[in-house]
Amino acid sequence: MIIVSDTSPINYLILIGQIDLLPQLFEQIIIPQAVYNELSDSLAPLPVQTWTVDTPSWLKIQPVSQPTDEISNLLDPGESEAIILAQELNADLLILDDMKARRIAKERGLVITGILGILDQATSMKLINLPNAVQSLNNTSFWASDSLFQKLLDKHC
């Protein structure tokens, strides 16, 4: 399977101590250079910056081969490049959270999930304690509606 990720899911999985879910669920994750740049930026949270110093073998950084298109005016560089890379690679899945980016990815025929989808799948495989993971996520700057969190919790608890 070809899995491409944007910055946000990786960022928050690092912050909640669940980054190892990605290789458990998908074996390999591909990110464009812009996503790596955002993760390693001096404005990124320190644990995220530290993680990027020695990236794991399951993370592959791959530049996009075509220039970004009109979406580069609508989205940040990581989101734009992740969508374009997913299209170039004919990815099986694109992991991103931003609502505008998700809408554009769907319009382009890409299959998407986000961090809540990752937590859902990990819970189904009994890899995490969902209430603890949701609580940890709520302690970060990640935002999702309370009803979305509750729907996920109700599904598993």
Side-chain angles (χ1 to χ4, degrees):
M1 285 185 76
I2 298 172
I3 313 296
V4 174
S5 182
D6 182 32
T7 308
S8 173
I10 294 172
N11 177 78
Y12 288 111
L13 286 170
I14 292 168
L15 292 178
I16 67 171
Q18 297 291 347
I19 191 63
D20 290 334
L21 290 176
L22 292 178
Q24 290 178 52
L25 297 173
F26 305 116
E27 293 183 30
Q28 183 181 61
I29 300 292
I30 303 169
I31 61 171
Q33 185 65 48
V35 167
Y36 178 80
N37 294 347
E38 290 174 358
L39 291 168
S40 60
D41 188 272
S42 62
L43 297 176
L46 189 55
V48 176
Q49 291 177 49
T50 302
W51 184 83
T52 63
V53 170
D54 186 24
T55 57
S57 60
W58 53 262
L59 185 74
K60 180 180 178 187
I61 302 164
Q62 182 168 330
V64 295
S65 59
Q66 63 184 13
T68 55
D69 56 24
E70 72 279 355
I71 64 170
S72 63
N73 298 326
L74 303 171
L75 304 174
D76 72 36
E79 293 161 350
S80 297
E81 283 194 13
I83 290 171
I84 290 168
L85 185 60
Q87 287 181 287
E88 285 182 8
L89 298 176
N90 195 23
D92 297 292
L93 184 66
L94 173 60
I95 308 170
L96 76 167
D97 289 315
D98 179 80
M99 290 308 294
K100 188 186 297 182
R102 291 169 70 94
R103 182 181 48 76
I104 290 169
K106 282 182 183 177
E107 288 171 358
R108 292 175 176 227
L110 296 168
V111 177
I112 62 167
T113 193
I115 191 166
L116 296 181
I118 299 296
L119 297 180
D120 179 31
Q121 188 174 350
T123 302
S124 294
M125 296 175 68
K126 301 190 182 339
L127 298 174
I128 61 167
N129 176 300
L130 183 62
N132 290 349
V134 166
Q135 183 58 51
S136 295
L137 194 55
N138 275 324
N139 291 335
T140 70
S141 60
F142 180 82
W143 187 89
S145 68
D146 290 339
S147 63
L148 198 53
F149 279 121
Q150 194 57 54
K151 182 178 176 183
L152 180 59
L153 289 167
D154 289 347
K155 177 179 177 182
H156 292 286
C157 301

